[in-house]
């Protein structure tokens, strides 16, 4: 499989999983957290699909396309290993949807990073809330959900807080 194929699979899966999660959390209330702004493509998709919801973006350095840059008051600047615990104090367990796309090209590093941030993300979700990730996460109490048929296995993961 070429790198182009891998990239396309990731994008198709990301959109399918986000669309599923947006629909499944409709009407829940509570903030949405976008972890990793990057170019701002997924942020732009989220805000276009759910303009009525509050989307906070976590990023260590904003370098997004100007057309998809969040307002300053909705941007939580810094390393997520520090800003997630701060956000938990601020928001409590209220997030309806958390999307994380923080990984880079080094798969081993991505796994280690996912292990580090999983316990920081887990307590932020409200009951019924969903977490969508490009990397497999390591949660104790969130339940992995089936991904939509149009997503490619292993390219996107969905987890739910049931209790
Ligand atoms: C793959 S990009 C996100 C792409 C984005 N989903 C899009 O559609 O354009 C990953 C982003 O995560 C950010 N990031 C990675 N590790 C981080 C950390 N520890 N704290 C905060 N941001 C981080 C990087 O700066 C980068 O902008």
């Amino acid at each position: 499989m070429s790198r182009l194929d891998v990239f396309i699979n990731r994008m198709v899966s990301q959109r399918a999983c986000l669309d599923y999660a947006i629909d499944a959390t409709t009407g829940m209330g509570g903030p949405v957290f976008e972890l990793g702004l990057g170019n701002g493509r997924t942020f732009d998709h989220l805000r276009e699909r759910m303009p009525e919801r509050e989307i906070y973006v976590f990023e260590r350095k904003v370098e997004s396309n100007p057309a998809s840059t969040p307002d300053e008051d909705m941007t939580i600047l810094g390393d997520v290993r520090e800003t997630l615990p701060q956000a938990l104090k601020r928001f409590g367990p209220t997030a309806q949807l958390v999307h994380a796309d923080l990984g880079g090209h080094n798969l081993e590093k991505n796994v280690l990073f996912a292990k580090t941030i999983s316990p920081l993300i887990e307590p932020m979700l409200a009951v019924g809330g969903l977490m969508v990730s490009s990397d497999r996460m390591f949660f104790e109490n969130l339940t992995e959900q089936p991904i939509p048929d149009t997503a490619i296995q292993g390219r996107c993961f969905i987890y739910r807080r049931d209790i």
Side-chain angles (χ1 to χ4, degrees):
M1 184 178 284
S2 71
R3 287 185 52 221
L4 179 64
D5 290 328
V6 171
F7 179 75
I8 290 169
N9 283 349
R10 191 172 130 237
M11 294 299 107
V12 166
S13 304
Q14 209 166 43
R15 184 179 57 188
C17 289
L18 285 177
D19 285 347
Y20 167 84
I22 290 165
D23 290 345
T25 53
T26 300
M28 254 191 81
V32 174
F33 296 139
E34 165 81 334
L35 312 183
L37 175 66
N39 184 282
R41 290 189 190 97
T42 48
F43 165 67
D44 193 49
H45 190 71
L46 291 172
R47 72 175 173 182
E48 190 178 292
R49 289 286 324 272
M50 42 186 202
E52 75 289 358
R53 300 192 218 179
E54 280 196 323
I55 306 171
Y56 290 88
V57 178
F58 293 66
E59 173 58 57
R60 60 183 166 202
K61 190 162 187 252
V62 173
E63 289 178 321
S64 48
N65 184 310
S68 43
T69 297
D71 293 341
E72 247 177 63
D73 61 332
M74 300 306 282
T75 307
I76 298 182
L77 258 188
D79 190 305
V80 290
R81 287 166 290 192
E82 288 169 14
T83 54
L84 283 170
Q86 291 162 2
L88 179 62
K89 283 190 195 146
R90 176 176 168 193
F91 296 99
T94 58
Q96 54 174 290
L97 172 55
V98 178
H99 172 232
D101 184 17
L102 293 157
H105 297 298
N106 184 324
L107 298 185
E108 274 176 32
K109 272 192 184 169
N110 290 350
V111 172
L112 281 179
F113 192 66
K115 284 186 176 167
T116 302
I117 62 168
S118 290
L120 307 179
I121 294 172
E122 185 164 336
M124 303 191 77
L125 278 179
V127 173
L130 292 179
M131 197 267 158
V132 174
S133 177
S134 302
D135 293 302
R136 178 176 295 287
M137 303 301 282
F138 298 87
F139 296 124
E140 279 191 9
N141 293 307
L142 305 191
T143 316
E144 188 167 352
Q145 305 293 301
I147 60 170
D149 289 344
T150 48
I152 289 94
Q153 293 296 333
R155 294 278 155 226
C156 178
F157 301 86
I158 304 176
Y159 302 89
R160 185 175 192 274
R161 173 176 288 286
D162 294 317
I163 46 167

